[in-house]
Every structure is written in C-alpha cells, then in structure tokens.
Amino acid sequence: MARSERLLTLLQTLRRYRRPVSGAVLAEETGVSLRTLYRDIASLQSQGALIEGEAGIGYVLRPGFMLPPMMFSEDEIEALVLGSRWVARAAEPRLAAAGADAMAKIAAVLPDDMRQEVDSATLLVGPRRHGEDKADLSAIRKAIRSERILEINYSDERGAVSIRRVWPFALGYFEHVRVMVAWCELRNDFRHFRTDRIIDMAQQEVRYPRRRAVLLKEWRGLDEYTRNA
C-alpha cells in the first residue's frame, strides 16, 4: 500500500471513533506494525491533523480537520474527475462552470503525479442531452437553499397549463430531463415538475412553513409507486 493511501486509511479509521482508541487497535485495523502506526500519526500531526493522545493512552481525531488534497486515492480522483465531467455535460451552464472551477482548484494543489492522473483520467461522459430548460435552474436551486415558495406556470404532457404554488426541496438531474421535486399546494401532496415544462416562475418572499430536510425525508420515505404517481 502506498504511503499516501496508508495515511488516508488511518484518517478514515480515526474518524469512526469518537473516543480515544489504542495504537494497537489502529495498527490492527490499518494492517501496519505498531511502530509504523506511530510514525504515521506523527506524520499526520505534522500536516495539521488534530490528532490528540499518546502511546499507551490512545488517539482521537478532533473535529474540523480537512483532508489535504494530496491524500486523495486514485479511485477518489477518478470519482472527482468523472463527477466534474458529468456536471459539465448535464448541468446548466452556471453549475457546469462551478464544477469545472472546483476541479481546477483541486488539481492546482495536487502533487505532480496526481495532477497527471487528473489530466489523463479515462472515465468519459456521454453526449449532452437534447432539449433545453425553460426554467432558470440556478433560480430553482436558490429557492431550494432559501426555502422559498415558487409560483410557476406549468404545462403537462397534454399541453394544459396550470398555475401552481410549490415548495421546492430537491432537483433531479437525469439523462434526458431535469425534475424539480416539490410540495404542491394545489394537489396538497408531493409532485415532480419537469423543468422543460415550467413556462415561467416567480419566487415569493415568504418561506414555506416546513424545513426542506423534513420534506426530503418524508418524500424519500414514500414507496416507488407513490413517488412516481
């Protein structure tokens, strides 16, 4: 196992424990000798990891430590690259640009060998979907973050238009369509709204009366048939 991957494994192991854990337990779980474990802890501490404790007492990782970019494994780098490429293809321009910017920031601080892994990643994303959204997806995301009611003019599959007041709490990105998940005041129930059928919309100043996390939890608790009805 490469040293960087070994250190990452140690950090991830420490994150599972809320109370001090002995060096012997950590060494067994990470598959290294106790002597190597002590050296790895010292190395992580020198890089800024908030690991407290000592031999014979145990070690604990205090909250707040962010993994250094150099600690990414090869699989994690590939996952980041694939995710960034998918967002660039599937998301609206503003979110696509944000994904590319985030990936550039990560690549800029990676060691040379890992930066080459980013540049030469062979995981590809298919062509961009057809069709354009009528709705401003960045405005929908803003409404979700601020828990604001949206009033929308919505066209169903038959072309019939209705006015809805909805509480948006999630946005789904699928291969050929994007879907806003919301509580619909007209239907008094959860509904899915295709963003290419939202003719226009206006954000209301008032916040909807329930937290989006609660709405999301209730929606996830529905069975598959009910969610798609």
Side-chain angles (χ1 to χ4, degrees), residues 90-110:
E92 70 274 17
R94 185 169 180 175
L95 196 59
D101 289 345
M103 193 66 242
K105 289 178 181 178
I106 293 172
V109 294
L110 287 174

Side-chain angles (χ1 to χ4, degrees), residues 169-200:
F169 60 87
L171 190 58
Y173 290 79
F174 299 93
E175 187 67 24
H176 299 293
V177 69
R178 296 154 182 161
V179 176
M180 177 179 69
V181 188
W183 178 268
C184 177
E185 292 185 354
L186 178 65
R187 303 302 184 195
N188 195 35
D189 202 352
F190 294 109
R191 286 294 185 269
H192 300 162
F193 299 92
R194 286 179 47 162
T195 57
D196 58 348
R197 293 178 179 169
I198 297 176
I199 300 171
D200 56 52

Side-chain angles (χ1 to χ4, degrees), residues 55-99:
I57 297 178
Y59 299 92
V60 63
L61 179 65
R62 295 302 179 190
F65 178 65
M66 301 298 292
L67 290 178
M70 68 178 62
M71 299 303 298
F72 289 131
S73 68
E74 291 181 355
D75 285 344
E76 288 168 337
I77 288 177
E78 288 192 336
L80 287 169
V81 172
L82 181 61
S84 176
R85 289 175 176 174
W86 187 90
V87 169
R89 291 281 186 143
E92 70 274 17
R94 185 169 180 175
L95 196 59

